[in-house]
Structure formats: structure tokens, C-alpha cells
Amino acid sequence: MSRIDTFVAPRPNPALIRAMTSVNRIVMLRGIPGFRDLLPFNRLAGLRGVSNVRHIDFPDADLERLKASCGAGKATFITPNHPEFFTDWMIDKEIVSQVSPLTASWATNGVVNGLGRLMQKFWLANNLIAQIPGNSGAAKEHSIAWALKGHGVLLHPEGGVGWHANVVASLLPGAVEMGLEALKRGRATDSNFKVWIAPVVWKLAFTGNVEAALAKECAYVEKNLKIERQATDTLPQRIHHVYSTLLARDEAATGMPFDQGASYAQRQRVLVTELSRQLGKSISADIDVTDITEILRRARRWQRENTGDAERQRQVRALVDRVQRLQRVGPWACANPRISQEEIAEHLKRIRNDYCRGGLRDTMNRFVPQPAGPRCAHIRVPEALGLHEHTGSIDDAVADLHRRMQDTVTNIVAELAANGGFIFYPNPFYRH
């Protein structure tokens, strides 16, 4: 087993964690006043703030609600939503620094273990836990033990970033499963021991009109992917045209006809169904499962168990990647007649992450995506889920957690929209 797939226990360094929190606030989030709005300095990410989050809207009532779930004598699993890569860690660090500074945070194994020994040592000192697909037992055990000591454990129950801040994706059960095990162990010595699943959600909103910057990024994407711009298209229509062209390329590669009269969502659904059928047949000649999520799960297990078959591994991996990439534009993209600048920015980041490959510029964008302009982070804390009071199943707890998170995100978006916090356009993905 390679080092990247091996669990190495974090070794938190409180002094380093405090220093990184200060760096996050200045360099990563807010930038340096006096330089962040002054040309040419505001073109330097480190001076304007790498994440360009100028303001943090975190009401005292929400902060106190989160504090009440954390601390000695209880186990707490903090579960933020996951709308954006890199900025997630910046905001997560800002939050936990105020409620539980020694919180252990889950991160992808490619970040924690895959960037060399020196970086691994740095991330472990920052109390990051490597999430290793198919080999998470040791990470879960460490997390439970750490939570039982009264320190928080933070993990994103949505899993990977989907770039859809208005919608909380289906949640994975890991936090609830670890919480129930912590409750069992805690109750073995203290009949009143409590375990909390503490959700946190945040929504980023631009502080001004960033259409020019978004148009510039869209032009880069069009050039990179060799997609001709339609001269009369609005910015949202350009995004739709990019996605429609990419979908047509996938249809052609699969041998499917292009249906000019069908909506993007209809064409996408038909293609995903066909690719999932092919994926099912590639891992088992007699598979009778039609649920796409279950087929993907079986395909990932097949990949772990059949490492010796290089050619089939390549075929299965390519099909899995294509299905997952297509699914990343979910039903939410077509749900509303209006689309905001923030949603346009998310589409662009998703396209660059999924399709723009090969150059240093896009590699950097995947790890440290740059926003189109200054933003405000609106952070809210739903009511924590007390597993010590929960009497239902794990699935019930996960569904309850999802409802609390989604309701809170929806409320943030509605409040900002009512106060004129968004710039909207007609949504070309929308179909009645």
C-alpha cells in the first residue's frame, strides 16, 4: 500500500494552528487593506485575499448556538456544506477557531498525503485527517477518539465539491455513524454523555457587479475548449452553449444521436442512462440494477477488487468519470427561471475543473480557484442534531440533518434576494 493510501495520525501543533488562523484571515480571506483595492496590487491574490472574502456575516446568535454544541464532556461532529473548494478550508478554519480551535478536519488524501513528506507533516500539524477511499477505518477510529476528548471533528457530509451553493447535495452518513459509536463509548462511562452533529452552512455573495470578470473567464473557457461563441448570446446563454456543446461531444463519443428539440436536461438524462447501462455491463454481464447510484457504488468496488485487469480498469474508470461529470449539473440547474452571477461563477468553475486540463493555469485553478470579485460570506448555524436524543435510524438522522442544512441555505438565499443582494438574468437552462 502506498503512503497516499495509508492513514497517518494527525499531530496537531497548537501554535501552528493559531498562526495559520491569522494567516487565513489576512492573506487567504480578506487581503491587506490599502492594497486589496489598489491597482496593480489587487491583481495579486495574496494581497487582495486569495479567496477574496472581504466580509463575514456570522451573527452572534449563530456563533453561540455552535459554541453550545462544542466543548469538554461531549463529542461534536461539525458538518459544513461544501459549495467551493479551497475557500471551504479558509471559512472552516475561521469558524472552528472561535468554537473549538483544536478541531480535527477531514480532507482528501491527495492533499494530506499526496504532496510529499514535508507537506504531509504540515497538514498533520494543522490537524487534518486524510480521507482514504475504501480504507477509512483508521481515520474514523481516530476521529471518534478525538471527539471523545472534547475536541470537534469537522467533515463535509456532501463529500466532494459540487459548485452549487444554493443546494445541499445528498449527505453521506459518516458523521452520524461515528457519532453513534462515540455515544456508545461515552455512555459506557457516563450515562448522560451527549453527542452532537452540528451543521454549519455558508453562502458567498459578490459585493458588486462582476459581469465583466465573468465574461472574461467565460471567454477563456470557450477558447480552451475550442467552442465558438455565438455573437448575440448573453453571458448565461454562453454558459448554456458551452454545456450543450460538451454534451453533444459526449453524445457523439457514445454513438447517440443529437436531439435538437430536446432540452439540456432531457438529453443529459438519456445519455447518463445509456452510459450507466454500459457501465453496469462492463463490471458484470448479468447485472440487473438500474439505479445509477448503486451502479456507481458497485463500479467503485469492482475497481478496488480487480486491480490486475488494466484494460477493463481503464474502461470502467472512464465510464465512471463520465457519468459522475455529467451528473454534476443536477436538476437544480433547470429549476428556476432566473440565474444569479454567483451561479454563473459556479458553472464556470465546474466547467474548468471538469473539462479544462493540461495547463498550469487550470491546475492552479482546480486547487486554488480565483473568484471573479470581492465577496461576503454569510454563515449560519442550524439547530444541532443531538444523537443522544435521536430514536430513529441512521438514515432518519441523515435526512433530518439534510433538511436542517437545506432549509437554512434556502433562508439565506431568500433573505439576500429580498434585499437586492443578487444580480439576476433569465436562466437558459430553465424549461417548463
Side-chain angles (χ1 to χ4, degrees):
M1 184 177 293
S2 65
R3 189 172 184 81
I4 194 172
D5 295 326
T6 303
F7 176 76
V8 183
R11 295 180 288 275
N13 182 322
L16 178 61
I17 291 172
R18 287 194 298 270
M20 283 302 299
T21 299
S22 298
V23 170
N24 288 346
R25 289 172 180 166
I26 298 172
V27 178
M28 302 299 184
L29 290 175
R30 296 189 174 109
I32 301 176
F35 290 94
R36 63 190 185 189
D37 294 313
L38 185 66
L39 281 170
F41 304 108
N42 62 0
R43 294 177 178 171
L44 301 175
L47 296 181
R48 70 161 186 260
V50 177
S51 297
N52 213 349
V53 176
R54 301 294 182 83
H55 312 285
I56 294 180
D57 167 29
F58 193 3
D60 290 342
D62 290 82
L63 177 59
E64 292 304 317
R65 189 177 300 118
L66 184 57
K67 283 183 177 179
S69 303
C70 301
K74 64 193 78 169
T76 309
F77 294 85
I78 302 172
T79 56
N81 63 333
H82 206 192
E84 182 171 318
F85 191 73
F86 184 79
T87 306
D88 56 358
W89 194 55
M90 303 297 104
I91 293 180
D92 291 346
K93 289 283 285 185
E94 176 68 16
I95 292 169
V96 300
S97 70
Q98 301 180 59
V99 298
S100 183
L102 290 182
T103 291
S105 300
W106 280 52
T108 177
N109 62 327
V111 170
V112 181
N113 294 338
L115 301 177
R117 289 180 180 271
L118 185 61
M119 286 305 298
Q120 183 192 58
K121 183 177 180 180
F122 171 79
W123 291 125
L124 294 176
N126 270 282
N127 215 9
L128 262 63
I129 297 172
Q131 187 271 328
I132 303 172
N135 188 27
S136 61
K140 289 181 177 179
E141 181 62 31
H142 175 84
S143 298
I144 294 167
W146 191 253
L148 287 169
K149 293 179 180 179
H151 305 300
V153 173
L154 182 148
L155 64 164
H156 297 104
E158 290 179 274
V161 172
W163 295 100
H164 44 70
N166 294 358
V167 176
V168 179
S170 298
L171 305 186
L172 299 170
V176 172
E177 292 172 345
M178 288 187 287
L180 289 172
E181 179 60 28
L183 180 63
K184 177 183 175 182
R185 298 183 192 182
R187 286 285 170 92
T189 56
D190 179 0
S191 60
N192 294 316
F193 191 79
K194 296 181 179 180
V195 174
W196 297 98
I197 307 295
V200 178
V201 299
W202 44 272
K203 167 69 178 178
L204 293 165
F206 291 116
T207 60
N209 191 330
V210 295
E211 181 172 345
L214 291 172
K216 183 178 180 180
E217 184 169 14
C218 187
Y220 171 79
V221 167
E222 290 163 338
K223 181 179 179 180
N224 184 284
L225 298 175
K226 297 179 173 56
I227 296 175
E228 184 177 356
R229 175 186 173 183
Q230 307 298 303
T232 60
D233 278 356
T234 64
L235 178 58
Q237 288 169 337
R238 290 168 66 183
I239 299 293
H240 183 271
H241 178 64
V242 168
Y243 264 123
S244 183
T245 301
L246 293 170
L247 184 61
R249 291 175 181 176
D250 278 328
E251 289 169 331
T254 311
M256 297 188 64
F258 174 77
D259 187 348
Q260 188 72 43
S263 69
Y264 177 89
Q266 291 168 332
R267 291 168 53 204
Q268 179 203 50
R269 185 164 52 250
V270 171
L271 180 57
V272 168
T273 299
E274 171 59 21
L275 289 171
S276 299
R277 185 193 66 79
Q278 293 181 16
L279 177 59
K281 292 298 182 182
S282 70
I283 61 175
S284 175
D286 58 354
I287 191 170
D288 58 358
V289 177
T290 58
D291 180 73
I292 296 172
T293 301
E294 177 62 18
I295 291 175
L296 287 170
R297 188 189 68 81
R298 293 193 183 191
R300 287 189 288 267
R301 185 177 65 188
W302 184 94
Q303 288 177 289
R304 292 194 298 269
E305 295 174 352
N306 296 270
T307 55
D309 192 337
E311 179 58 24
R312 284 184 68 192
Q313 278 279 342
R314 185 190 64 78
Q315 295 173 356
V316 170
R317 182 168 59 251
L319 284 168
V320 167
D321 289 347
R322 186 174 294 181
V323 170
Q324 289 180 325
R325 188 183 67 216
L326 287 166
Q327 284 188 314
R328 281 159 61 77
V329 185
W332 41 264
C334 312
N336 298 306
R338 299 190 301 173
I339 186 172
S340 68
Q341 288 194 344
E342 287 75 9
E343 291 170 298
I344 291 172
E346 289 167 354
H347 276 306
L348 286 167
K349 294 305 184 191
R350 190 184 309 107
I351 292 168
R352 291 187 67 178
N353 181 80
D354 291 349
Y355 292 93
C356 297
R357 301 290 174 128
L360 177 61
R361 181 174 178 178
D362 287 311
T363 299
M364 291 297 296
N365 179 77
R366 282 195 293 278
F367 284 99
V368 190
Q370 292 299 289
R375 303 176 294 176
C376 177
H378 301 273
I379 304 171
R380 299 293 185 269
V381 178
E383 290 292 336
L385 176 63
L387 292 183
H388 49 279
E389 302 170 333
H390 181 71
T391 57
S393 66
I394 290 176
D395 288 344
D396 291 337
V398 172
D400 193 359
L401 181 64
H402 184 275
R403 177 186 57 78
R404 297 180 191 206
M405 295 175 71
Q406 183 60 68
D407 286 352
T408 305
V409 168
T410 301
N411 289 339
I412 297 174
V413 173
E415 180 182 346
L416 292 174
N419 293 328
F422 299 124
I423 295 174
F424 287 106
Y425 306 83
N427 181 9
F429 289 92
Y430 181 72
R431 292 288 189 276
H432 290 286

